[in-house]
Amino acid sequence: MNTEKTYAAYLDQQDDLKSFRDEFYIPNNTIYFDGNSLGLLSKRAEQSVESILNSWKRYAIDGWSEGAQPWYYLSEKLGSMSCELVGAEPEEVVVTGSTTTNLHQLVASFYNPEGRKTKILADELNFPSDIYALKSQLKLKGYDTSHLIQVKSQDGNTLNTQSIIAAMTDDVALIVLPSVLYRSGQILDMKTLTYEAHKRGIIIGFDLCHSIGSIPHHLSEWGVDFAFWCNYKHLNGGPGSVASLYVNKKHFGNEPGLAGWFSSDKEKQFDMEHTLTPAQNAGAYQIGTPHLLSSAPLLGTLELFQEAGIKRVREKSLRLTNYLMELIEAELSGYGFTIANPKDDAARGGHVFLEHKEAARICKALKTDGVIPDFRTPNGIRLAPVALYNTFREVWQTVKILKTIMVEERYNKFENKRGVIA
Ligand SMILES: *Cc1c(COP(=O)(O)O)cnc(C)c1O
């Protein structure tokens, strides 16, 4: 392990994605390692927002059909721009709703309890919003929450593929799991899980919030039934940007569980009939008028991903997280940290997850020293060096700062308590 700063500089020099950093607004004097919570603004995204505002200024109502990006087709267009990121065909993806409302839509569409098959299978480590949504969908169908099975974790951080498969009993109708766990960054084996679910006649969908824009996916090839994700984390779509969903084309032509006029076939929509003719693609899972101003940044940011290519993004991301883990092991052993993310490339997502009993105040000390991590209760520090805008030198610098904080016990100046937002 070479721990010299010059080696970090050498790695930056070799980086074939290095020019992308200039596309972004990097906050002054800051090492931003929180792109897995809220990605940074790019100049491209800023321009695409301006362009949509200008079409409103210039065309008013005619912006729906005129201008460089007619609004009526924007959700589908952004979906097709995203399809390579998930390994899907262009018509299988649409940009719409929010992560959680998309989950509601997809469960309302794909959860059809019948006979013995009435349960939903999830896990105990997923993001709370997903679990709340699943429980409320069960209630709407007249079941109590004992119908939600949550696969247990052995170590509190990761899930075992075999335990998930063992939980696919014959009373399960639907499975919803994350692609990458939000705390530990573990990648689940979506291919195997989909294969095993289908062998048992179970529909399966994935929440890609922590994998989209960070790792490649092959949803169509794996035969995944549906997926959904937010666009404001690794994809840099901006705070509250519109989310996305994927529906495998074998399900095209069905009515969505939650219908609205934007579920319509686009040619029929303005016939204003009271019988819905659903779109014959993922667009059928839209509900109402798209949130154009919050979709607009995606035009610019997805273009950047098309230029960089998800394969190169993933390769650099693995190098960054590997370098970070090696430096932590070399410089910070004996200071009470545990690297709690999976270490091998196949199971490691886009961030490093450290556990430490003083995690909350170590995060505060890092922020004071210009490094932005995020804290996850009760004892987790997530560090996400992002391929498009972070550097190997920043990784080196971060470990150096963290070491000073530990050696000088600078975290003692802070309370070991999380803020309202953490
Ligand atoms: C970020 C995230 C969400 C957020 O849901 P919103 O509806 O966008 O607020 C949901 N699920 C997971 C797994 C997430 O990581």
Side-chain angles (χ1 to χ4, degrees):
M1 173 66 202
N2 187 339
T3 59
E4 298 296 316
K5 188 175 186 179
T6 49
Y7 183 60
Y10 167 77
L11 293 173
D12 281 330
Q13 203 192 349
Q14 299 294 307
D15 170 18
D16 66 348
L17 293 178
K18 58 175 174 285
S19 62
F20 283 91
R21 183 175 167 89
D22 291 337
E23 299 274 356
F24 289 87
Y25 291 103
I26 315 278
N28 269 343
N29 302 318
T30 298
I31 297 177
Y32 193 74
F33 276 2
D34 205 8
N36 59 338
S37 280
L38 179 69
L40 295 179
L41 173 64
S42 62
K43 294 167 191 167
R44 242 41 105 83
E46 182 180 48
Q47 282 158 11
S48 58
V49 171
E50 266 175 33
S51 128
I52 296 287
L53 278 173
N54 281 331
S55 62
W56 178 19
K57 204 187 270 177
R58 174 158 174 209
Y59 299 105
I61 187 73
D62 287 337
W64 287 104
S65 54
E66 307 280 316
Q69 303 295 343
W71 307 332
Y72 193 50
Y73 303 100
L74 190 65
S75 311
E76 288 81 3
K77 156 134 196 194
L78 292 170
S80 71
M81 286 176 76
S82 318
C83 73
E84 263 173 50
L85 296 173
V86 292
E89 292 177 26
E91 325 79 69
E92 290 178 314
V93 183
V94 68
V95 166
T96 185
S98 73
T99 318
T100 312
T101 60
N102 287 346
L103 174 57
H104 274 292
Q105 168 67 297
L106 292 161
V107 175
S109 304
F110 285 94
Y111 173 49
N112 297 306
E114 225 187 305
R116 261 185 72 71
K117 279 195 173 313
T118 54
K119 293 189 175 163
I120 299 180
L121 176 61
D123 68 279
E124 67 165 2
L125 299 180
N126 203 345
F127 199 81
S129 201
D130 296 36
I131 300 301
Y132 302 161
L134 293 175
K135 286 183 179 172
S136 60
Q137 287 290 330
L138 282 170
K139 280 191 222 153
L140 283 170
K141 288 258 165 47
Y143 296 110
D144 64 40
T145 52
S146 68
H147 270 64
L148 180 67
I149 310 170
Q150 289 182 265
V151 178
K152 294 234 174 326
S153 162
Q154 303 293 315
D155 59 4
N157 282 327
T158 58
L159 296 170
N160 177 278
T161 310
Q162 290 313 316
S163 317
I164 302 174
I165 294 169
M168 296 180 186
T169 45
D170 62 7
D171 49 357
V172 174
L174 177 75
I175 302 173
V176 177
L177 291 168
S179 50
V180 166
L181 300 183
Y182 77 98
R183 294 179 88 254
S184 71
Q186 180 195 10
I187 304 177
L188 297 190
D189 183 349
M190 289 175 265
K191 182 182 180 180
T192 302
L193 293 168
T194 302
Y195 175 79
E196 295 293 335
H198 287 169
K199 226 162 68 177
R200 294 162 177 77
I202 308 171
I203 296 267
I204 185 163
F206 290 97
D207 178 333
L208 310 186
C209 280
H210 275 278
S211 61
I212 190 74
S214 166
I215 69 172
H217 308 74
H218 305 282
L219 298 183
S220 295
E221 187 188 315
W222 300 331
V224 170
D225 293 289
F226 65 84
F228 55 98
W229 58 91
C230 61
N231 287 315
Y232 50 76
K233 293 174 180 166
H234 287 280
L235 281 187
N236 314 313
S241 67
V242 179
S244 296
L245 60 80
Y246 155 89
V247 172
N248 190 296
K249 67 174 183 218
K250 70 186 171 204
H251 299 297
F252 285 178
N254 295 336
E255 286 233 358
L258 307 175
W261 74 316
F262 269 79
S263 316
S264 297
D265 177 306
K266 291 199 117 52
E267 298 293 319
K268 295 280 294 173
Q269 183 169 339
F270 279 84
D271 289 350
M272 303 309 227
E273 285 168 2
H274 279 192
T275 303
L276 171 69
T277 306
Q280 298 293 307
N281 53 39
Y285 296 83
Q286 298 173 91
I287 301 176
T289 303
H291 302 178
L292 287 152
L293 297 181
S294 310
S295 306
L298 287 166
L299 270 169
T301 190
L302 289 172
E303 206 177 272
L304 286 176
F305 275 86
Q306 288 179 324
E307 287 168 24
I310 189 64
K311 191 162 167 278
R312 286 201 295 167
V313 167
R314 172 62 169 163
E315 282 162 6
K316 178 173 172 189
S317 162
L318 282 172
R319 284 199 300 275
L320 283 165
T321 49
N322 190 54
Y323 184 53
L324 177 55
M325 290 190 300
E326 285 185 352
L327 282 177
I328 288 166
E329 279 168 352
E331 301 286 344
L332 285 163
S333 68
Y335 289 101
F337 289 101
T338 310
I339 297 179
N341 54 276
K343 289 186 187 163
D344 58 309
D345 286 4
R348 183 173 88 252
H351 65 265
V352 166
F353 184 59
L354 297 178
E355 288 185 318
H356 194 288
K357 64 179 174 24
E358 307 288 355
R361 51 181 165 175
I362 291 171
C363 282
K364 290 177 192 170
L366 278 169
K367 270 194 143 160
T368 304
D369 287 344
V371 177
I372 316 293
D374 75 14
F375 170 70
R376 282 295 172 263
T377 198
N379 62 348
I381 303 170
R382 295 191 311 185
L383 295 169
V386 168
L388 287 187
Y389 52 77
N390 287 125
T391 64
F392 292 88
R393 259 172 296 199
E394 288 179 309
V395 171
W396 187 90
Q397 198 72 33
T398 294
V399 174
K400 185 169 180 256
I401 291 169
L402 189 52
K403 187 164 180 177
T404 309
I405 289 168
M406 300 315 291
V407 172
E408 297 177 5
E409 299 188 7
R410 289 162 71 149
Y411 54 85
N412 274 332
K413 288 193 295 201
F414 305 91
E415 240 192 316
N416 199 30
K417 220 179 117 201
R418 74 166 169 82
V420 175
I421 298 173

